Amino acid sequence: MNALETRNLNKAFGSLVVADDISIQLPKGARHALIGPNGAGKTTLINLMTGALTPDSGSVLLGDQDITGLESNERVKRGLGRTFQINTLFPELTPLESTTMAICERMGVAQNWLSPLANQTEAIDEAFGLLTQIGLADDCTKPTVDLAYGQQRLLEIALALATKPKVLLLDEPAAGIPKSESAALFEAIADLPKDISVLFIEHDMNLVFTFASSITVLVQGKVLVEGTPDEIAHDPLVREVYLGGADHG
Amino acid sequence: MQPIDPQKWLRNKARISPYEIAFWIAALIIPYAFFPNYLALASQIAATAIFCIALDLIIGYAGIISLGHAAFFGLGAYAAGILSQKGWGEPISGALFGAIFAGFCGWIVSFMIVRVQHLALLMITLGLGFLLVELANTLDWLTGGSDGLLGIDTWNLFGVFKFTFWGYTAYGYTLGAAFLVFLLCRRLVNSPFGLALETIRENPQRTTALGVPNRARLQKVFTISAAIAGLAGAILAQTTETVSLDSLGFQRSADIAVMLILGGTGRLYGAILGSIIFLVARDQLSGMNPQYWYFWIGLLLMIVVLFMPRGILGGLEKIKSKLSTKPNQKVDGA
Ligand SMILES: Nc1ncnc2c1ncn2[C@@H]1O[C@H](COP(=O)(O)OP(=O)(O)O)[C@@H](O)[C@H]1O
Ligand SMILES: [Mg+2]
């Protein structure tokens, strides 16, 4: 059984087809890279998986459950976490508050309106542990808007991890941070527990070939080819359409 | 650098400050001791502060903008007023009746509210106010229509304290209610639920991706807010022993929003400060020249919004934090 699977997903914005019969399987424990030029429909595919967008047809399965009809937040409760290509955070709140909220929600105590947040010691400790692990402990009481860009990228990941996902979808986690730091970020992703299945979008081919166990190449909403890093690196079609081309996005 | 203690940090954020204690003691003593002729105004301010806190919950914390929140204020006022007119004038149960009625109506309306945003949200809340004014006007056999609801008789508070023209009982009653509402809302905003509301306000797309059912959370706070607004209306109806159509109307909704913006959103005390400034200023200025009164409010509103986007209280907090960091900067520079 796959951790996550799409079956014949289709989606068009008006006449622009952004997902064309996409069937992808993400095995348990996978480190799966989704690559393709800008505008290929990679972010759209993540949005279809998470429920942020509704497909025109096709289905999404999490484990053996069809989740196509579920709301986004219900999919999260079943173990589907994500990060965003463009920082999607809580500017006025601190990383500590943001992460604690995410954990309170997961623990089912976020409805509680008559007891102090400070009493949620378990959630607070877990949040602080997570922020320490990701390297944000020293700045976790500053408003997010005051954090450096790279730190905000890390918070993106910390928030997704706070939901304890079984499947984690990372939309260009290293976008906009210096090359020297992106390797460390991917080390952290590679070190995630093996039972978390990860799908990540990344443009840096060195990172992709280092960290991916399998790769899907998406071009104009279609799966061009799928395979191991080795197969992809030597695929003539990929070399022609994507790796060889000047447009790496 | 000191290592951070996250639990302590969150606890400190919610800690009661000495200023707060001083404020509530002053609110109890000053009107009774120094302004006994203004107790009616003081009660009106306290009731309005309750209403304004209710608005702060949805605007300041949850990010739901409303131009029609007087609908719930008025519903609470009419509910308590009619109850009293029909023969049950016990104030505390009457006020709770008004709150529950308004909260129930708020819950019904919340299904609509959480499905829209921005302009549509403004129009729905605005429309709700218009609709209720006309409804209350049409049902004049029940509400008294444009003559207002007459014949309200509020019994003694706790069976002992008579509501008199001088407003001694009225102010104690209203201030006590304001204090309890404040304590409740303070709990709420410092709870996990309060934090969840702030995250929804900051970024609903992200909260969804963290598993938060945004709509359910917003419906809950809207219902609570409507109930508190209803309580405020009920108390004002009981203490003034009248209810008029304008308790539901747009002017009152706009005024309360102005008070909140002036005082500062998302901090509870901003709502209180805004009510005090607005109503004291109106009392003083409109005595001089009633037509001119909104000229000054308009000017003040523009100045505050331009130069103190977080309201007067937010501005004061900023000045205070600047003053307290200045010495450090000097040390750095030396
Ligand atoms: N909400 C939308 N409405 C219309 N067009 C969109 C929308 N979202 C994305 N697109 C278009 O769909 C295409 C794929 O976008 P996207 O999935 O973001 O690509 P990628 O992530 O691969 O760069 C782009 O041409 C983009 O302009
Ligand atoms: Mg993208």
Side-chain angles (χ1 to χ4, degrees):
Chain A
M1 186 177 66
N2 291 305
L4 182 73
E5 185 176 343
T6 68
R7 288 188 185 156
N8 312 98
L9 278 186
N10 286 290
K11 177 79 185 173
F13 292 119
S15 61
L16 179 71
V17 177
V18 282
D20 190 350
D21 202 32
I22 297 182
S23 300
I24 285 187
Q25 285 102 36
L26 199 68
K28 210 165 185 197
R31 299 290 180 267
H32 190 95
L34 181 62
I35 66 174
N38 270 335
K42 305 182 294 296
T43 298
T44 302
L45 180 57
I46 285 192
N47 284 336
L48 290 170
M49 289 169 167
T50 62
L53 290 173
T54 315
D56 298 335
S57 65
S59 53
V60 181
L61 283 83
L62 186 65
D64 55 2
Q65 271 184 321
D66 190 328
I67 57 168
T68 321
L70 292 185
E71 299 271 343
S72 282
N73 63 297
E74 292 168 334
R75 299 185 195 203
V76 178
K77 292 260 150 82
R78 281 162 210 239
L80 184 59
R82 76 169 294 179
T83 68
F84 292 82
Q85 179 175 356
I86 297 164
N87 285 337
T88 303
L89 302 167
F90 310 117
E92 300 282 319
L93 302 176
T94 63
L96 180 62
E97 289 165 317
S98 309
T99 315
T100 303
M101 195 293 295
I103 292 168
C104 285
E105 179 61 47
R106 190 196 76 219
M107 290 176 162
V109 296
Q111 286 255 39
N112 190 336
W113 60 291
L114 291 174
S115 81
L117 176 70
N119 286 2
Q120 301 295 333
T121 52
E122 204 182 315
I124 297 167
D125 287 344
E126 186 184 330
F128 191 67
L130 192 53
L131 292 165
T132 307
Q133 181 196 329
I134 207 132
L136 284 176
D138 289 342
D139 293 311
C140 73
T141 53
K142 286 186 189 159
T144 300
V145 59
D146 293 339
L147 297 184
Y149 179 80
Q151 292 180 304
Q152 297 194 13
R153 290 313 283 164
L154 291 173
L155 182 55
E156 273 284 334
I157 296 175
L159 286 183
L161 290 176
T163 66
K164 285 226 171 127
K166 293 192 207 105
V167 176
L168 184 55
L169 311 174
L170 303 169
D171 195 348
E172 305 199 25
I177 66 175
K179 270 215 159 72
S180 52
E181 289 171 35
S182 53
L185 193 147
F186 270 90
E187 296 283 359
I189 294 168
D191 285 345
L192 290 176
K194 285 291 164 254
D195 54 346
I196 301 184
S197 314
V198 181
L199 177 134
F200 64 92
I201 299 176
E202 175 54 51
H203 283 297
D204 183 327
M205 286 307 133
N206 286 327
L207 290 173
V208 169
F209 288 127
T210 312
F211 291 103
S213 53
S214 54
I215 300 175
T216 296
V217 184
L218 204 64
V219 176
Q220 290 181 2
K222 265 202 187 73
V223 175
L224 182 74
V225 47
E226 277 183 309
T228 63
D230 216 36
E231 289 164 358
I232 298 296
H234 297 102
D235 190 289
L237 204 58
V238 176
R239 295 193 82 89
E240 185 191 315
V241 175
Y242 186 47
L243 294 177
D247 179 22
H248 279 211
Chain B
M1 198 170 98
Q2 277 257 324
I4 290 161
D5 179 342
Q7 296 198 14
K8 208 168 141 195
W9 188 84
L10 286 169
R11 208 169 279 285
N12 280 347
K13 244 196 123 176
R15 207 181 41 187
I16 296 172
S17 88
Y19 295 114
E20 293 184 70
I21 298 169
F23 169 79
W24 286 102
I25 292 175
L28 177 65
I29 292 176
I30 290 176
Y32 279 123
F34 302 107
F35 299 101
N37 294 334
Y38 284 92
L39 286 174
L41 175 66
S43 320
Q44 195 194 353
I45 292 174
T48 306
I50 298 176
F51 183 20
C52 205
I53 286 174
L55 192 66
D56 197 20
L57 284 186
I58 60 162
I59 293 189
Y61 287 91
I64 305 170
I65 301 174
S66 169
L67 277 183
H69 222 49
F72 304 106
F73 179 87
L75 283 168
Y78 275 109
I82 291 168
L83 184 73
S84 168
Q85 190 201 40
K86 302 279 179 231
W88 181 256
E90 199 288 310
I92 294 175
S93 55
L96 289 176
F97 176 71
I100 291 168
F101 181 70
F104 176 74
C105 297
W107 176 69
I108 306 262
V109 171
S110 73
F111 287 89
M112 235 186 313
I113 295 290
V114 299
R115 277 171 171 72
V116 295
Q117 280 164 329
H118 311 302
L119 196 58
L121 184 57
L122 288 182
M123 291 306 118
I124 289 206
T125 52
L126 196 60
L128 180 73
F130 291 158
L131 187 145
L132 281 180
V133 170
E134 284 313 318
L135 197 65
N137 197 12
T138 310
L139 301 176
D140 53 3
W141 53 271
L142 183 68
T143 64
S146 53
D147 296 336
L149 185 70
L150 303 172
I152 300 174
D153 173 33
T154 309
W155 300 350
N156 291 356
L157 182 61
F158 306 124
V160 179
F161 303 102
K162 197 168 158 53
F163 284 88
T164 62
F165 175 76
W166 298 106
Y168 281 90
T169 306
Y171 184 58
Y173 174 56
T174 316
L175 184 69
F179 184 61
L180 292 178
V181 163
F182 172 79
L183 287 183
L184 182 78
C185 292
R186 197 181 193 290
R187 274 242 141 176
L188 187 154
V189 303
N190 289 313
S191 71
F193 177 68
L195 179 60
L197 294 180
E198 290 192 84
T199 56
I200 295 171
R201 175 198 71 207
E202 290 285 292
N203 199 331
Q205 190 190 4
R206 185 51 175 228
T207 51
T208 302
L210 294 174
V212 180
N214 292 353
R215 284 179 180 174
R217 297 282 188 281
L218 294 178
Q219 279 193 275
K220 182 166 161 179
V221 72
F222 194 85
T223 305
I224 293 171
S225 170
I228 295 173
L231 182 79
I235 288 175
L236 200 68
Q238 293 173 332
T239 52
T240 59
E241 299 197 334
T242 112
V243 184
S244 62
L245 285 179
D246 61 45
S247 68
L248 291 160
F250 172 67
Q251 190 67 53
R252 190 173 295 261
S253 292
D255 283 351
I256 201 76
V258 168
M259 292 178 218
L260 180 59
I261 305 295
L262 284 181
T265 57
R267 38 189 21 101
L268 298 186
Y269 280 104
I272 298 175
L273 183 69
S275 314
I276 297 172
I277 292 177
F278 188 98
L279 292 176
V280 169
R282 180 165 77 185
D283 185 68
Q284 296 299 308
L285 291 174
S286 66
M288 291 190 289
N289 193 338
Q291 292 96 326
Y292 245 43
W293 149 245
Y294 272 98
F295 173 88
W296 294 111
I297 272 297
L299 190 67
L300 182 62
L301 188 62
M302 286 163 74
I303 291 173
V304 166
V305 169
L306 281 178
F307 299 106
M308 297 188 229
R310 282 146 194 258
I312 292 171
L313 198 59
L316 290 178
E317 278 170 10
K318 207 169 159 189
I319 292 168
K320 189 176 149 231
S321 76
K322 268 209 182 120
L323 289 179
S324 63
T325 51
K326 243 190 192 144
N328 297 341
Q329 283 165 351
K330 272 186 194 144
V331 172
D332 288 347

